[in-house]
Amino acid sequence: MANATHLSDHDASAALAERIREANAEGTPLRIVGGDTRFFYGREVEGSELSTREHCGISFYDPVELVVSVRSGTPLGELEAALAEHGQMLPFEPPRYGAASTVGGMVATGLSGPRRPWAGSVRDFVLGARVINHEGNEQRFGGEVMKNVAGYDLSRLMVGAQGTLGLITEVSFKVLPKPGATHSLHLELSLDEARQRLAEWGREPLPISAAAWLDGALHLRLEGGPSSVAATRARIGGDDLDNDFWAALRDQRLPFFRAGPLDETKSPLWRLSLPHRTPALELPNADERLMIHDWAGAQRWLRADLDAEALRHACQAVGGHATCYGPRPAEVEPFTPLPEVLMKYHRNLKAQLDPKGLFNPGRLYAAF
Amino acid sequence: MNILYDERLDGPAPKLDRATIRDSLTQAIPDMTLLSREEDMRPFECDGLSVYRTLPMLVALPDTLDQVQRLLVECHRLGVPVVTRGAGTGLSAGALPLEHGVLLVMSRFARILEIDPEARIARVEPGVRNLAISEAASPYGLYYAPDPSSQIACSIGGNVAENAGGVHCLKYGLTVHNVIKVEILTIEGERMTLGSDALDAPGFDLLALFNGSEGMLGVVTEITVKLLPKPEVAKVLMASFDDVEKAGNAVGAIIEAGIIPGGLEMMDKLAIIAAEDFIGAGYPVDAEAILLCELDGVEADVDDDCETVRAVLEKAGATGIQQARDDAERAKFWAGRKNAFPAVGRMSPDYYCMDGTIPRRELARVLKGISDLSERYGLRVANVFHAGDGNMHPLILFDANREGELAVAEALGGEILELCVRVGGTITGEHGVGREKINQMCAQFRPDELATFRAAKAAFDPNDLLNPGKNIPTPARCSEFRTIKSASADTAPGTLQG
Ligand SMILES: Cc1cc2nc3c(=O)[nH]c(=O)nc-3n(C[C@H](O)[C@H](O)[C@H](O)COP(=O)(O)OP(=O)(O)OC[C@H]3O[C@@H](n4cnc5c(N)ncnc54)[C@H](O)[C@@H]3O)c2cc1C
Ligand SMILES: Cc1cc2nc3c(=O)[nH]c(=O)nc-3n(C[C@H](O)[C@H](O)[C@H](O)COP(=O)(O)OP(=O)(O)OC[C@H]3O[C@@H](n4cnc5c(N)ncnc54)[C@H](O)[C@@H]3O)c2cc1C
């Protein structure tokens, strides 16, 4: 078992629980903050700031067990470095931006990088979580084992809930060995040709682990055993591409993203999540050729001044949704509004798990 | 402590009159099959854990979603509990009927609605058998990865409710990792879609919450699953060991070598002998344990990995290593494992299959603990398990016709599960809590954690009408459990006959 010999290692859960008990007694809402690098991702929260940064460190890591447990204030970079020492990784490639990004923020926002369609998302690698509830009790759901169906899966429910259901203090992840070989390719193909080729390849057991179309070319990553990567590379052809491309895409450092989500001089940045094989959408004011089609087309980035409702309607018509990253016009909600019945059960769940509305009220939707 | 519904411990059950409810339902849904005669309902009195039986008040066999919806609306209005049943292969009495409830059988919803090879998805009704999905996808070179050993019989709706796993799950994930969308009906009869055809959906991840929720939050009426391309090749190695501990350590060594097998299964001596006797799989009957390690993927990589695994197994002290020569032999190796439960069942009038997960590094210690417990309780235990996931299935052999032996088996099973919790594991890896492990939930969770589970349930079913009494114990049950535990702490286990 590898022990945590890292920069920071501090259990602040008692202090966090105390703050929450006080907030509960007073009925004051809390704005949970990790690195606060993601404050733009969602609606603004009015609340007294509660930082997780002091609560950090890897509390358990057993590379043979493929399990790591991490306190929520731990910088994401620190976790990734510890895994890399043992040739392991978080397979979902969470986006990084600043050194301040925390593991808690990563789980609460639930965003995954280029490997997502092949490897799975953040929640797919969560095995368990410790969460402080509205009464200030630290509770444990799931665990540190690969399979567990005792009780409801509340740990995975926390992923993407943006801290509205409780304060995540610790998360256990399933980790995987880094692939034996990696090679990236650049193929000059039109969007249509790229979609066609991806559909064909997708039905074969090829070692593809990332596929993004932008600037008139399909960018492809092969990962797996050295033999199959070499064979696939020979078969597919194209030019070699620097593997660093994927980190730049993952962390939004490509020129396309350069203007930050808060740069008011630019149009809003939209993220479209669509079913595989969705053809180019008919969008006035937006040209699909100027977009990034990541996740083999299932995640599209677009920067344009669009009518939010029309865009969302177009996405929903094909079974997807659209998120506005900003700069966000006042009347635009960041997340796609939910159907009425679904909203009812969201409200019920929030009312049950956080009856006084202490945790990040209004972060996801105005209603809770 | 009895696991059957006990009003004193599980809360008052509604006092309902069968004839009145039957008449109301017949009137509201005249075109639905409704069984109420004892002889018609007998086949539904238990699931795969057949030692626990309860005759339901009524059995509903709807054919259409509209009927299911009207049934739920009506039961909600009348305050009648509803227990949903898939194929009834569950091993934790999750679909055990309630004497005062309606059993909603979803088996007639058995259509594959769509296979889309381009999008690599299948859209199916909940009663579709797990294996039928892979069979339907096969012509396109695709398959559905989670493969519970019961896959020829169990329903995909039941798989979602139990978050079922199987041999492939170490590499390809559990049901929750392979389902992208479900349609559900709430107890109030509202329709809801959870998840989406895209890779995520806005709002809370209710899809994750519903996987493994044991029919307590809603009725699953349609499921969209991911299909994967069939691996180019799959090869299997069988290693024999003269010591269980060495086999356990070999499991860790394979993972440590950076290899994630498509399947990594272990069987102990008793299970080997039983399977060999039943199937003739070619197992070495003199071994203390065998490991089956399947490697799948692209041929060149698989060949490389087979060599690596072979070297790891040799170093770990395997006394024999055999690679299946062809697909027929590979199928034979697996047939022994897949039929291990019934095979062990042939050695004894009854068997009781447990399901706990432990950290892999505790394997040797837990096996030793189980063997000690087996001796103390005087019942044989065979071990078959998903070694790669640390998911164990100790099979307790007993004879229900012998006075008190079921109670001994139950007590032994309970102790095995509590042992799993003590080493950092869980009381159920894939079979669910159901009614079977309702008491052990009190060992794994604190009262305030159980209260949070109850709160989550209340968000969807405030009147506790869906599968009441399952999965989450009441405070009264847990306080009784704790009292009994502390009282029996210094009593010899053989006296636990109550
Ligand atoms: C399009 C895109 C743009 C991005 N842009 C940026 C960027 O501009 N800057 C940047 O730094 N990163 C960015 N990221 C990635 C971001 O770094 C990661 O998501 C990161 O891990 C967030 O961590 P944090 O600690 O900064 O979160 P925070 O911003 O502190 O928190 C994010 C959310 O999670 C909640 N939360 C945080 N910790 C917990 C906890 N322990 N329990 C419960 N809820 C919690 C917060 O209340 C908040 O709702 C971007 C990613 C993408 C995909
Ligand atoms: C020999 C044998 C081997 C097995 N091996 C495995 C294995 O390897 N892995 C594994 O995971 N399991 C295994 N099982 C257990 C069992 O097959 C699984 O739990 C399976 O998922 C149950 O499916 P079912 O359709 O039979 O469900 P049932 O037994 O009918 O029901 C199980 C639970 O699901 C609920 N439910 C069923 N359908 C719905 C629905 N449509 N909506 C909402 N709730 C519903 C029920 O209320 C109940 O709580 C095995 C069982 C046997 C008998």
Side-chain angles (χ1 to χ4, degrees):
Chain A
M1 197 187 310
N3 248 326
T5 49
H6 285 275
L7 310 175
S8 44
D9 193 10
H10 179 65
D11 182 348
S13 53
L16 290 169
E18 186 50 38
R19 271 290 304 280
I20 292 170
R21 274 193 292 272
E22 280 167 23
N24 186 21
E26 294 158 8
T28 40
L30 295 167
R31 180 172 106 85
I32 304 173
V33 169
D36 211 11
T37 59
R38 314 286 279 105
F39 60 92
F40 64 89
Y41 184 63
R43 305 175 76 259
E44 209 170 306
V45 174
E46 301 277 341
S48 138
E49 189 172 302
L50 178 58
S51 168
T52 62
R53 297 299 298 282
E54 297 283 295
H55 186 60
C56 56
I58 294 171
S59 52
F60 172 84
Y61 178 28
D62 187 345
V64 180
E65 208 73 34
L66 302 175
V67 173
V68 67
S69 298
V70 201
R71 296 195 184 103
S72 54
T74 311
L76 181 51
E78 230 173 82
L79 170 60
E80 294 200 298
L83 298 176
E85 270 177 41
H86 293 270
Q88 298 188 333
M89 61 175 184
L90 297 173
F92 49 88
E93 298 190 297
R96 303 153 301 200
Y97 200 79
S101 300
T102 64
V103 168
M106 167 185 93
V107 172
T109 49
L111 296 165
S112 308
R115 205 187 277 106
R116 196 274 171 246
W118 294 272
S121 64
V122 183
R123 76 100 134 123
D124 292 329
F125 290 87
V126 166
L127 298 174
R130 288 178 195 270
V131 180
I132 302 183
N133 77 352
H134 65 107
E135 289 174 320
N137 294 326
E138 190 178 40
Q139 305 184 331
R140 180 171 180 252
F141 303 109
E144 289 179 338
V145 289
M146 293 289 153
K147 276 167 145 183
N148 188 351
V149 289
Y152 301 117
D153 196 344
L154 293 181
S155 52
R156 289 192 180 98
L157 179 67
M158 296 298 150
V159 182
Q162 291 244 39
T164 55
L165 298 177
L167 177 88
I168 302 165
T169 48
E170 190 173 308
V171 185
S172 301
F173 299 98
K174 175 179 178 176
V175 296
L176 287 181
K178 288 193 171 176
T182 302
H183 188 85
S184 299
L185 297 171
H186 179 274
L187 299 115
E188 300 269 345
L189 292 173
S190 72
L191 181 55
D192 279 346
E193 285 169 318
R195 290 183 52 233
Q196 197 53 44
R197 301 283 287 276
L198 283 168
E200 286 162 22
W201 294 331
R203 284 161 61 181
E204 294 179 52
L206 294 177
I208 295 173
S209 73
W213 187 89
L214 62 152
D215 301 333
L218 178 62
H219 301 64
L220 208 59
R221 181 173 61 190
L222 308 175
E223 281 181 340
S227 310
S228 65
V229 167
T232 310
R233 178 183 163 192
R235 176 182 148 187
I236 287 178
D239 303 321
D240 290 351
L241 169 72
D242 190 334
N243 285 327
D244 288 345
F245 168 82
W246 301 106
L249 174 61
R250 165 184 180 179
D251 298 338
Q252 306 212 318
R253 284 186 279 108
L254 295 173
F256 176 92
F257 292 107
R258 198 131 294 159
L262 299 178
D263 185 343
E264 300 290 341
T265 66
K266 296 283 177 170
S267 309
L269 173 67
W270 285 91
R271 170 182 180 266
L272 278 44
S273 176
L274 304 170
H276 278 292
R277 301 277 299 138
T278 304
L281 296 179
E282 292 289 329
L283 302 171
N285 279 346
D287 184 343
E288 289 253 359
R289 284 164 307 177
L290 300 179
M291 296 167 57
I292 293 185
H293 295 242
D294 195 4
W295 296 3
Q299 174 176 254
R300 299 181 192 173
W301 296 99
L302 151 76
R303 196 178 276 288
D305 290 297
L306 292 168
D307 175 51
E309 222 167 299
L311 172 66
R312 289 198 157 126
H313 186 76
C315 291
Q316 282 176 299
V318 294
H321 64 102
T323 304
C324 184
Y325 272 69
R328 193 156 44 83
E331 73 285 1
V332 173
E333 285 288 320
F335 304 107
T336 295
L338 300 173
E340 204 179 308
V341 196
L342 208 50
M343 183 48 103
K344 167 180 158 187
Y345 288 98
H346 274 68
R347 261 193 260 109
N348 286 358
L349 203 52
K350 170 76 174 178
Q352 286 290 338
L353 299 185
D354 180 19
K356 288 192 190 164
L358 300 181
F359 298 115
N360 281 356
R363 174 72 169 159
L364 286 173
Y365 294 100
F368 60 87
Chain B
M1 245 177 113
N2 198 338
I3 67 154
L4 289 177
Y5 201 93
D6 177 344
E7 290 200 31
R8 193 177 55 87
L9 299 179
D10 301 310
K15 303 281 171 279
L16 301 161
D17 171 54
R18 178 191 316 227
T20 317
I21 303 291
R22 188 191 52 213
D23 293 348
S24 306
L25 289 177
T26 313
Q27 206 165 27
I29 325 160
D31 52 343
M32 181 181 67
T33 311
L34 195 63
L35 312 177
S36 59
R37 292 197 338 222
E38 189 184 322
E39 60 270 35
D40 294 336
M41 299 196 295
R42 271 288 163 223
F44 299 98
E45 67 183 348
C46 67
D47 63 6
L49 186 56
S50 57
V51 288
Y52 304 109
R53 296 163 192 268
T54 306
L55 208 59
M57 177 170 68
L58 295 163
V59 173
L61 285 155
D63 300 283
T64 67
L65 275 189
D66 181 53
Q67 290 171 346
V68 180
Q69 190 168 22
R70 279 186 286 159
L71 176 78
L72 291 169
V73 167
E74 203 52 21
C75 287
H76 182 248
R77 189 179 70 81
L78 299 167
V80 182
V82 178
V83 177
T84 311
R85 177 183 163 110
T89 69
L91 290 175
S92 59
L96 181 72
L98 285 168
E99 199 186 313
H100 51 267
V102 169
L103 187 73
L104 164 60
V105 181
M106 295 299 285
S107 59
R108 292 185 177 176
F109 294 83
R111 283 179 308 165
I112 293 180
L113 302 171
E114 181 189 1
I115 301 265
D116 182 343
E118 303 248 302
R120 273 169 282 139
I121 55 163
R123 202 160 56 81
V124 303
E125 290 184 340
V128 169
R129 291 173 310 113
N130 172 295
L131 190 61
I133 303 176
S134 288
E135 284 167 356
S138 179
Y140 307 101
L142 301 170
Y143 79 114
Y144 174 63
D147 56 341
S149 301
S150 52
Q151 69 183 149
I152 52 164
C154 65
S155 78
I156 185 74
N159 289 175
V160 171
E162 299 291 7
N163 192 15
V167 166
H168 285 135
C169 290
L170 174 64
K171 185 164 173 183
Y172 298 104
L174 308 162
T175 305
V176 67
H177 302 113
N178 289 278
V179 165
I180 63 167
K181 185 171 90 171
V182 298
E183 302 287 335
I184 66 141
L185 280 170
T186 66
I187 183 66
E188 293 176 48
E190 300 148 317
R191 289 183 185 206
M192 231 174 2
T193 304
L194 311 180
S196 80
D197 290 324
L199 289 171
D200 44 38
F204 295 146
D205 196 338
L206 297 183
L207 183 59
L209 185 66
F210 265 66
N211 269 280
S213 64
E214 306 198 10
M216 309 271 295
L217 305 180
V219 177
V220 178
T221 56
E222 188 184 302
I223 300 120
T224 305
V225 301
K226 265 198 320 206
L227 300 173
L228 299 181
K230 280 193 228 170
E232 190 179 285
V233 289
K235 300 193 175 177
V236 65
L237 294 161
M238 175 167 69
S240 340
F241 292 86
D242 56 11
D243 175 53
V244 176
E245 189 166 345
K246 283 186 199 159
N249 293 337
V251 171
I254 292 171
I255 310 269
E256 204 169 15
I259 290 177
I260 308 293
L264 186 54
E265 301 283 307
M266 185 167 156
M267 292 163 74
D268 74 359
K269 191 175 188 101
L270 199 52
I272 298 168
I273 293 171
E276 188 54 24
D277 202 36
F278 184 35
I279 296 289
Y283 291 169
V285 286
D286 50 347
E288 285 299 318
I290 59 168
L291 268 187
L292 288 171
C293 177
E294 179 159 297
L295 300 156
D296 63 0
V298 181
E299 181 140 25
D301 290 347
V302 172
D303 287 340
D304 295 347
D305 287 354
C306 280
E307 284 322 300
T308 310
V309 169
R310 188 181 281 275
V312 169
L313 290 170
E314 271 167 17
K315 195 159 160 243
T319 51
I321 303 171
Q322 223 182 315
Q323 181 170 338
R325 276 161 304 200
D326 49 27
D327 274 351
E329 191 171 41
R330 180 179 146 250
K332 220 169 78 177
F333 282 4
W334 280 121
R337 165 63 187 90
K338 292 241 169 185
N339 289 290
F341 294 4
V344 171
R346 288 166 76 240
M347 300 179 94
S348 161
D350 298 283
Y351 73 94
Y352 186 17
C353 173
M354 306 309 296
D355 159 49
T357 309
I358 55 163
R360 273 190 308 263
R361 64 180 175 283
E362 301 285 359
L363 211 62
R365 189 170 137 205
V366 172
L367 286 173
K368 174 81 176 64
I370 292 177
S371 129
D372 291 348
L373 286 168
S374 151
E375 227 163 85
R376 260 209 287 150
Y377 280 83
L379 292 178
R380 289 181 297 167
V381 180
N383 283 289
V384 179
F385 50 96
H386 308 298
D389 304 302
N391 184 198
M392 329 196 41
H393 292 311
L395 301 168
I396 302 171
L397 308 189
F398 74 102
D399 182 352
N401 287 325
R402 284 171 57 180
E403 182 70 30
E405 206 159 293
L406 170 60
V408 177
E410 280 179 324
L412 168 55
E415 289 228 32
I416 291 175
L417 297 180
E418 287 154 36
L419 174 63
C420 292
V421 173
R422 270 204 303 284
V423 301
T426 170
I427 57 169
T428 172
E430 58 184 17
H431 293 170
V433 174
R435 208 46 209 174
E436 181 202 19
K437 291 167 198 142
I438 197 80
N439 293 333
Q440 275 71 39
M441 281 293 280
C442 313
Q444 186 166 336
F445 293 98
R446 292 192 323 237
D448 66 297
E449 291 165 341
L450 293 169
T452 299
F453 286 142
R454 273 182 228 111
K457 160 90 166 156
F460 294 90
D461 177 20
N463 302 333
D464 200 15
L465 289 175
L466 275 175
N467 220 357
K470 307 282 171 60
N471 198 357
I472 314 296
T474 58
R477 186 164 271 279
C478 282
S479 66
E480 173 121 336
F481 174 81
R482 295 198 173 93
T483 312
I484 292 181
K485 274 282 144 189
S486 54
S488 70
D490 31 36
T491 320
T495 60
L496 260 183
Q497 307 259 334

